[in-house]
Amino acid sequence: MKFSKSLLAAGMASLVASPASALEVEVGGQVNRAVMYVEDGYSSEASDGSGILGQGSDTEFYHVDNRNSPTRFTFGATQRLFEGWTAGAVIEIGAYANSSLDVSPAEKNTDAELDERITDAFVDSPYGKLTLGRGEGAAYNTARRDYSGTGVISFRHPGLIGGGLYYALKDSSVKTSFNADGSFRDRQNFTADELSTEEGAGRLNRTTIAGSIRDYNFEGRHERIRYDSPRIGPATVSVSAGNDGDTGSNSVLQVGVTSGLRVPGGRMLVGAGYSRATVNREAPSGSDDPDINTYGGSVSYFHSDTGLNLTFAAVNRAEELSEEEATGNFSSTRSELGQFRYAKLGYRPNRTHAFDIHYGETLNRNKDDEKGSVIGVGYVWSPVDMFDAYAGAKIHSFERGFWCTESGRTCYSPEYEDITIVTTGLRVKF
């Protein structure tokens, strides 16, 4: 909701200014709550009553904050400087209780969390927009261009709903042992510990949804300075530079190009981005993480007469690993190139109803020869701008190929059960 300066004057005497430079303040936000029904093969207590997280009842209900578009509060202000020039600021705080990204059978209720999403100051002019603070880099969301209208339930990052859930290992998972000379010694099924998600023997092959599939969104939000050009033909060019990571030791450079244009039969959104995160290993708080290059984009087409829309996205994340990092223990097949691919077919006959079916996969998220995938459907009902009711269902699958530890003495052939998630919820904006 927006308030003109004249309405705020009585309570905000410090903001007195001439009408020609009137201040506009915008206060808003949303609450987005959902219920998840999950079939994943795990429960908070094992079927034998031991109380250890393991294979018990394979269904659970969770009451969550939907991280596809989480609960948040936004405060913004803009003021005209002079003809064609505007200055402003935005503060956005996320408030998550039982995040859909974090819940699991072991933690059906997680701690509430306040998250600094955006703290920006900006100047907008005929020559472009300059932004300083914490927020989105220049490539952010260039691979999430989407006309479907179902992002609240069928978002591009599949792990945001159910990301903390573990894939159950099948009883058919086996490990093979070899002698020091490389000759075969033994093959056996995983032990009970290796089939569980507890720390210990099973940790080498345990995997969550978030650990198996990711859309690699160009380093996320971080501290940066960003410039967005005026439209150059049909496109806007953006560049940014900043720091990321808990210690701020990662230097992040990004470039992005976005466009919205009319094409035969309808409209099209296009985005492309590149990001390079460089680790300062010489700093006292420096990290041992690899330097990372991320590149990719998306395209979404909307057919005006029918409301049918089609979206594609592709993003690659290339880690620059040293030979030791690439061949270390448990990392003898560690992936150096993760690949995300996504396709969505949508139907949006009007602004009230939106449907979609989608498929996404991440190849080599952690190790070579593995694939995390999702197939799902979603529906959103939006009778007014401030209200959405939605429902969706999806199936997550994970495959990891035969892999061996550095010594070559033990090799694993894990097989995983699928995870099914049905979600329904309400989003109310204010």
Side-chain angles (χ1 to χ4, degrees), residues 71 114 123 148 183 335 400:
T71 297
L114 291 178
V123 175
S148 71
S183 60
S335 171
R400 172 173 285 167

Side-chain angles (χ1 to χ4, degrees), residues 7 12 33 42 103 121 194 226-227 254 269 271 274 290 293 303 336 352 361 363 403 429-430:
L7 293 176
M12 303 176 67
R33 299 295 298 181
Y42 288 104
V103 293
E194 289 169 328
R226 170 173 172 167
Y227 170 75
Q254 294 190 10
L269 296 173
Y274 170 79
N293 294 304
H303 188 256
E336 296 183 61
T352 302
E361 65 179 29
L363 303 176
W403 70 276
K429 306 172 187 177
F430 55 88

Side-chain angles (χ1 to χ4, degrees), residues 36-369:
M36 290 167 42
Y37 168 81
V38 174
E39 182 175 329
D40 64 350
Y42 288 104
S43 71
S44 56
E45 292 189 1
S47 56
D48 61 5
S50 64
I52 300 173
L53 179 63
Q55 292 191 333
S57 171
D58 63 358
T59 61
E60 298 280 350
F61 281 96
Y62 300 90
H63 297 269
V64 297
D65 193 284
N66 181 347
R67 284 298 300 271
N68 280 349
S69 179
T71 297
R72 69 188 71 165
F73 302 95
T74 305
F75 309 90
T78 59
Q79 189 164 23
R80 177 177 175 270
L81 299 177
F82 36 87
E83 186 64 34
W85 291 70
T86 303
V90 177
I91 298 174
E92 185 172 280
I93 304 296
Y96 320 135
N98 267 24
S99 164
S100 62
L101 175 62
D102 298 329
V103 293
S104 69
E107 289 188 282
K108 294 186 70 172
N109 296 295
T110 62
D111 293 337
E113 177 184 354
L114 291 178
D115 177 31
E116 178 196 7
R117 291 167 59 86
I118 299 174
T119 307
D120 270 347
F122 65 85
V123 175
D124 201 356
S125 77
Y127 306 101
K129 182 178 180 180
L130 186 67
T131 306
L132 182 64
R134 175 179 176 79
E136 302 169 355
Y140 191 92
N141 279 348
T142 55
R144 292 176 171 176
R145 309 284 278 172
D146 188 355
Y147 266 129
S148 71
T150 60
V152 68
I153 183 62
S154 301
F155 192 54
R156 190 63 51 79
H157 184 351
L160 292 179
I161 292 183
L165 301 173
Y166 284 96
Y167 291 96
L169 280 153
K170 294 181 179 180
D171 293 338
S172 55
S173 299
V174 297
K175 61 180 179 180
T176 306
S177 300
F178 298 88
N179 294 318
D181 61 2
S183 60
F184 173 81
R185 185 175 68 182
D186 186 29
R187 178 176 291 113
Q188 57 185 302
N189 293 101
F190 282 19
T191 64
D193 284 344
E194 289 169 328
L195 289 170
S196 80
T197 63
E198 292 293 292
E199 290 287 353
R203 69 181 178 84
L204 298 181
N205 286 292
R206 66 182 189 140
T207 304
T208 62
I209 288 177
S212 70
I213 189 167
R214 183 180 175 186
D215 73 338
Y216 302 128
N217 191 27
F218 302 99
E219 304 304 323
R221 298 182 182 89
H222 56 282
E223 303 291 339
R224 84 287 184 249
I225 183 170
R226 170 173 172 167
Y227 170 75
D228 299 281
S229 76
R231 285 181 66 89
I232 304 173
T236 298
V237 178
S238 305
V239 295
S240 65
N243 298 318
D244 194 16
D246 294 336
T247 63
S249 61
N250 288 7
S251 297
V252 181
L253 298 175
Q254 294 190 10
V255 179
V257 180
T258 56
S259 179
L261 62 160
R262 294 194 175 276
V263 295
R267 306 185 298 276
M268 182 174 288
L269 296 173
V270 180
Y274 170 79
S275 174
R276 178 168 176 80
T278 305
V279 177
N280 181 5
R281 295 178 176 83
E282 303 301 324
S285 57
S287 170
D288 292 330
D289 293 338
D291 295 340
I292 296 171
N293 294 304
T294 308
Y295 50 94
S298 60
V299 58
S300 185
Y301 171 76
F302 183 88
H303 188 256
S304 300
D305 290 342
T306 63
L308 290 171
N309 50 88
L310 188 60
T311 300
F312 296 100
V315 182
N316 287 354
R317 182 181 186 272
E319 296 188 1
E320 298 180 3
L321 303 179
S322 67
E323 183 177 354
E324 181 179 0
E325 290 169 332
T327 60
N329 192 32
F330 180 53
S331 299
S332 56
T333 55
R334 181 174 173 179
S335 171
E336 296 183 61
L337 178 64
Q339 301 173 320
F340 177 75
R341 304 292 183 263
Y342 187 89
K344 177 188 285 187
L345 175 63
Y347 175 54
R348 196 175 187 183
N350 49 52
R351 297 184 66 86
T352 302
H353 302 283
F355 309 81
D356 85 87
I357 180 170
H358 59 272
Y359 173 80
E361 65 179 29
T362 298
L363 303 176
N364 308 324
R365 167 77 172 87
N366 305 288
K367 304 172 74 62
D368 289 338
D369 196 19

